[in-house]
Amino acid sequence: MEKLIKSGEAYERFLKIISSQGAEKWAVENLDMILSPADNLTEYKAKESGFIRKIDTFGLGQLLISLGAGRRVLTDKIDHKPGLRFNKKLGDKVEKGETIMEVYSSKPFDVSELPELFLVGEEPETRPSCVRQLKIS
């Protein structure tokens, strides 16, 4: 995998995939010209020190919808500016006050109104296997 990435072959395959879906190479290579950045950046900080044991992915999806990045109903308009950048992942050590996630949005919002999206505990969570059981018939 690393060899494919370093050689550029993985990127070329990626370009073929997006091209087959109707995207143009120049658009992918110049996203900053097409998408303007969000106007507001809010940091979601750890409330305590420890290890990230659980992440509320449903809550993250609801957050994105509330910022306009998704639809509740088919007629909702999508705002392409909002997004999330994760500085930590499941199992990572985090210190109190450290930024876990950056929230980009078109309008300001109060991060203290968000539900608890990351569960921090004293011990790291063991990561689940992507494949729970493989049956070959």
Side-chain angles (χ1 to χ4, degrees), residues 75-124:
T75 55
D76 285 352
K77 294 193 181 203
I78 292 182
D79 181 356
H80 296 280
K81 291 183 178 183
L84 307 174
R85 174 176 286 153
F86 297 94
N87 298 331
K88 298 290 181 178
K89 61 186 181 300
L90 188 64
D92 282 356
K93 184 166 180 44
V94 66
E95 298 298 328
K96 182 178 181 178
E98 188 175 3
T99 301
I100 296 176
M101 171 179 76
E102 297 170 346
V103 181
Y104 295 87
S105 62
S106 297
K107 55 187 178 211
F109 73 98
D110 187 358
V111 73
S112 68
E113 294 177 7
L114 292 178
E116 206 56 48
L117 297 171
F118 298 86
L119 175 65
V120 176
E122 292 181 14
E123 297 293 323

Side-chain angles (χ1 to χ4, degrees), residues 20-32:
S20 71
Q21 296 176 3
E24 296 183 31
K25 180 180 176 180
W26 74 266
V28 173
E29 293 176 338
N30 298 289
L31 282 176
D32 55 337

Side-chain angles (χ1 to χ4, degrees), residues 5-133:
I5 292 171
K6 286 184 177 180
S7 72
E9 187 177 342
Y11 181 69
E12 290 303 319
R13 286 186 188 182
F14 170 71
L15 291 176
K16 284 181 185 177
I17 291 169
I18 62 159
S19 176
S20 71
Q21 296 176 3
E24 296 183 31
K25 180 180 176 180
W26 74 266
V28 173
E29 293 176 338
N30 298 289
L31 282 176
D32 55 337
M33 292 173 54
I34 298 168
L35 299 174
S36 55
D39 301 323
N40 298 284
L41 167 63
T42 306
E43 294 180 334
Y44 187 95
K45 297 181 181 275
K47 294 179 175 79
E48 59 186 299
S49 295
F51 295 88
I52 296 179
R53 294 186 48 82
K54 298 209 184 293
I55 300 173
D56 180 1
T57 54
F58 180 80
L60 293 172
Q62 293 301 306
L63 169 60
L64 287 167
I65 289 171
S66 72
L67 296 174
R71 294 185 175 113
R72 291 194 194 278
V73 294
L74 188 59
T75 55
D76 285 352
K77 294 193 181 203
I78 292 182
D79 181 356
H80 296 280
K81 291 183 178 183
L84 307 174
R85 174 176 286 153
F86 297 94
N87 298 331
K88 298 290 181 178
K89 61 186 181 300
L90 188 64
D92 282 356
K93 184 166 180 44
V94 66
E95 298 298 328
K96 182 178 181 178
E98 188 175 3
T99 301
I100 296 176
M101 171 179 76
E102 297 170 346
V103 181
Y104 295 87
S105 62
S106 297
K107 55 187 178 211
F109 73 98
D110 187 358
V111 73
S112 68
E113 294 177 7
L114 292 178
E116 206 56 48
L117 297 171
F118 298 86
L119 175 65
V120 176
E122 292 181 14
E123 297 293 323
E125 181 75 14
T126 55
R127 295 184 185 192
S129 170
C130 291
V131 178
R132 299 216 188 269
Q133 185 176 14

